[in-house]
Amino acid sequence: MKSINFLKIIIIFFVLSFNKSYSIGKIRSLNSNLITLSNDTLKSNKKKNSNLSLAIIPPAIKATGDQLYCPQSTINVVTSILITHDPLETGTEAGYVQISSGYSSGLDQLTLSNPASHPSITTSWDVTAGKLKIASATGGNVLYTDLEAAIKDVVFSNSSVTAFGTKTFSITIGNANYLPSTQHYYLFIPSIGISWTAAKAAAEASDYYGLKGYLATILSAEEAKLIGEQASGTGWIGGSDAETEGIWKWVTGPEAGTIFWNGTANGSTPNFAFWNNGEPNNQGNEDYAHITQPGVGTKGSWNDLSNTGDTSGNYQPKGYVVEYGGMPGELTLEIAASTKITIPFATPATNPDPVCNSGSFTFNATATTGSTINWYDAAVGGNLLATGSSYTTPTLTTTTTYYVDAGCESNRKSVVATVNITPSTPVAASSTVYNCGSGNVTIEANSNIGTINWFTSSTGGTSIYTGNNFTTPVISNNITYYAQASNGTCINTDRTPVNIVIYTPPAVTDETVILCQYQKVNLDAGIAGMMYKWSTGETAQIITVSASGTYTVDVTSPAPENCTSRKTITVDEHLIPVIARVTVNGTKAIIHLTKEADYYEYSVDGLQFQDSNIFYDVPAGLRTAFVQEKNGCGGNTLNFVVLVFPEFFTPNNDSFNDVWEVAGMENYPQAEITIFDRYGKLITQLKGSQMTWDGTFNKTPLPASDYWYALKIDNTHPVFKGHFSLKR
């Protein structure tokens, strides 16, 4: 041991005489070799002598290693490391290397690159915390020399080809998480069901290598991620609105009194806050901030709870997070160091505008700080063309792709110099297109490259269609369209005209032709001097058919028009009518045919014809029924008799109605009429030449009354019965 000057000896004895000890930081300020007393309850390696303990100066770690990293490779987390320690303490329980910021769980990993070279070392990887623990393989303390050698061989890797950003590594002696940006330490203390006030008291009663503890205060997203996502559990933090409802403050540590939230879930923050969805909600006097149970909403976010929380489930406190560092008067510990890696990433600017036929291009790109931008001619390997934020190409005559990175080949990005060739003047498939009648017309033009745009004028105007084949809207008059070729921004200004000529097709009219039964009929296409094609295969203008049906003829005008119109002729066969019978009821007669049709007309005198087959007031006597087809296809006749039975007669010799006589009976000489009185007594029989009755019985006049008759013509006709009146 080095000699101690007299003043230091006096101080040692002064301390011993008062049975007190200096804080670690203060003792270290005296001399790294000074032996003194300590009340550091977190140190495990203490030297005891009688009733006094000798304080061990905490080790100090210094590390370097700010480096660039390419994804899917490995890199040492330090380029150099030095652990200085008290000669009385040669080792510690464990050392830790943690990805304390920028951690990507499941992609980032820390490993010992060559474990065979470190037989006294064992490592374990905590994927949740992103922390690699380095401990003794035998279970005791790991020597600082072995720890230092192992940390030199700890490597980082990321399995994603698209990884980006900065990763910060914390190298610490104690097991608390260390965040380089705050230089504070964070430790989760499990304690099921602990209240917030008890957690606050316990945190403030603890220390870490001489740093006073307090419930954690979270001032940034980086701090929230380390505490909430990479910690081993959830629990209380140092926020509360118990003083004023809705005004959330940090009430612990050096930030005590700082407001970080106003209101409930829809409130606002003047500083950083990380509430879970719908929080804080103040359900049941919830005045204390708590890191939410994993699996409930956003990972690592906060919720508000009452002082005791729930007795079970997701909102039962599982412990608390203690933060160390930053309290007034405290010196910074050196038991932790940090390094970082940056994944270099070049971001190219938008590709330059294309040029026509040839030209030079200037590309620009930006990169992460400290990176050099490299320009290549290939996505992998290739030639390094230039370095720097811009690159100007030689004169190019074809589209060319270049690549840029910031030091990592796997992160190369492509940029494109587009050279468009000016297309040749379009060639129309046909300079004139003919169309028969109005309608849509398809026209076509092609060029050696690019696209075809169609216009309605030879210069200027706006393109109405893009594509080689253009189907026009319905057109009915001659018109000219113009085709122009373009390749990107390179345009051939010469436009190719395509004329559309509209021909008038032959004017045909469909018709219906009557074919009389047993006859033939001529069908006429209707326009002379054309070409004809009938559905029968015939090619004459007029053809003769003998069967009903639908016939078509394509009428085509001569070349160059060659326009075709189709005429349809419907041939209807009209049958010659056949009268089946005529039914007569008094003076009403109905003519019945064997087959009815609406093209027949009827008559009972051969002069006046009608569409109806029913006739009224037909005169008595022998009559003839006439039926004929309206278009002259033929007709048929049938005789019939109309009998008229008088309803009364007046036998008073005034020459009017003096006898009862059935008109028309002369056509049935074989007929017989029997007359009865109202009691059924036979009065007389009329037949042959005697077909009238004068109202007498045996030449004696009968009284006025009703009398009945029965007329029998023959056995083929029904018996006609009725009655009439005799009036005197």
Side-chain angles (χ1 to χ4, degrees), residues 514 516-517 519 574-577 599 601 628-635:
I514 305 304
C516 296
Q517 188 178 16
Q519 297 182 23
H574 286 193
L575 303 178
I576 298 173
Y599 49 77
E601 57 184 3
Q628 64 183 19
E629 196 275 333
K630 294 179 180 179
N631 297 283
C633 288

Side-chain angles (χ1 to χ4, degrees), residues 489-642:
T489 56
C490 302
I491 301 172
N492 188 321
T493 57
D494 293 334
R495 295 180 181 178
T496 300
V498 178
N499 301 307
I500 298 176
V501 177
I502 303 298
Y503 287 136
T504 301
V508 297
T509 303
D510 295 341
E511 62 179 311
T512 299
V513 174
I514 305 304
L515 172 65
C516 296
Q517 188 178 16
Y518 310 125
Q519 297 182 23
K520 296 180 180 181
V521 66
N522 291 331
L523 305 183
D524 191 345
I527 305 176
M530 301 286 169
M531 293 179 289
Y532 313 96
K533 185 175 181 179
W534 291 87
S535 55
T536 62
E538 296 168 274
T539 58
Q541 177 183 340
I542 299 173
I543 65 172
T544 302
V545 298
S546 59
S548 62
T550 300
Y551 297 83
T552 61
V553 57
D554 290 335
V555 182
T556 303
S557 58
E561 295 186 6
N562 295 318
C563 291
T564 299
S565 297
R566 173 166 289 188
K567 177 176 181 176
T568 300
I569 302 176
T570 303
V571 177
D572 284 344
E573 183 181 29
H574 286 193
L575 303 178
I576 298 173
V578 176
I579 300 174
R581 69 186 187 281
V582 178
T583 59
V584 179
N585 183 10
T587 60
K588 176 182 177 182
I590 302 175
I591 303 172
H592 300 278
L593 305 182
T594 56
K595 185 175 182 180
E596 305 287 345
D598 58 4
Y599 49 77
Y600 295 135
E601 57 184 3
Y602 305 85
S603 176
V604 291
D605 60 7
L607 299 175
Q608 302 294 324
F609 284 84
Q610 64 183 41
D611 290 338
S612 174
N613 65 337
I614 301 174
F615 294 87
Y616 299 92
D617 300 321
V618 179
L622 179 62
R623 303 297 173 196
T624 300
F626 298 87
V627 180
Q628 64 183 19
E629 196 275 333
K630 294 179 180 179
N631 297 283
C633 288
N636 190 219
T637 61
L638 181 67
N639 293 330
F640 66 97
V641 175
V642 176

Side-chain angles (χ1 to χ4, degrees), residues 53-67:
S53 63
L54 300 180
I56 304 301
I57 298 173
I61 302 177
K62 295 195 180 294
T64 59
D66 291 354
Q67 306 171 82

Side-chain angles (χ1 to χ4, degrees), residues 61-65 67 74-84 95-97 110-115 117-118 121 123 132 134 142-156 169-172 339:
I61 302 177
K62 295 195 180 294
T64 59
Q67 306 171 82
T74 59
I75 190 171
N76 291 83
V77 298
V78 299
T79 53
S80 69
I81 183 169
L82 176 65
I83 302 177
T84 58
Y96 300 87
V97 182
L110 298 173
T111 57
L112 187 60
S113 62
N114 53 345
S117 300
H118 305 278
I121 293 295
T123 61
L132 182 71
I134 305 172
V142 59
L143 295 177
Y144 286 123
T145 53
D146 291 340
L147 181 61
E148 183 180 281
I151 292 174
K152 290 180 181 179
D153 285 342
V154 172
V155 294
F156 166 82
F169 305 107
S170 300
I171 302 102
T172 63
T339 61

Side-chain angles (χ1 to χ4, degrees), residues 113-185:
S113 62
N114 53 345
S117 300
H118 305 278
S120 63
I121 293 295
T122 184
T123 61
S124 59
W125 170 246
D126 183 344
V127 68
T128 300
K131 180 185 288 189
L132 182 71
K133 180 179 180 181
I134 305 172
S136 171
T138 60
N141 287 343
V142 59
L143 295 177
Y144 286 123
T145 53
D146 291 340
L147 181 61
E148 183 180 281
I151 292 174
K152 290 180 181 179
D153 285 342
V154 172
V155 294
F156 166 82
S157 63
N158 181 285
S159 60
S160 172
V161 70
T162 59
F164 66 95
T166 298
K167 313 283 183 180
T168 302
F169 305 107
S170 300
I171 302 102
T172 63
I173 298 299
N175 65 343
N177 293 339
Y178 175 70
L179 187 61
S181 62
T182 63
Q183 298 185 24
H184 290 189
Y185 301 83

Side-chain angles (χ1 to χ4, degrees), residues 670-690:
Q670 78 280 10
E672 180 180 87
I673 300 176
T674 303
I675 298 176
F676 304 88
D677 66 8
R678 63 189 301 176
Y679 302 106
K681 179 182 177 181
L682 177 62
I683 301 300
T684 186
Q685 285 184 325
L686 307 177
K687 60 183 178 179
S689 59
Q690 180 60 40

Side-chain angles (χ1 to χ4, degrees), residues 285-297:
N285 196 29
E286 295 179 331
D287 294 333
Y288 301 96
H290 175 266
I291 297 178
T292 309
Q293 179 80 12
V296 180

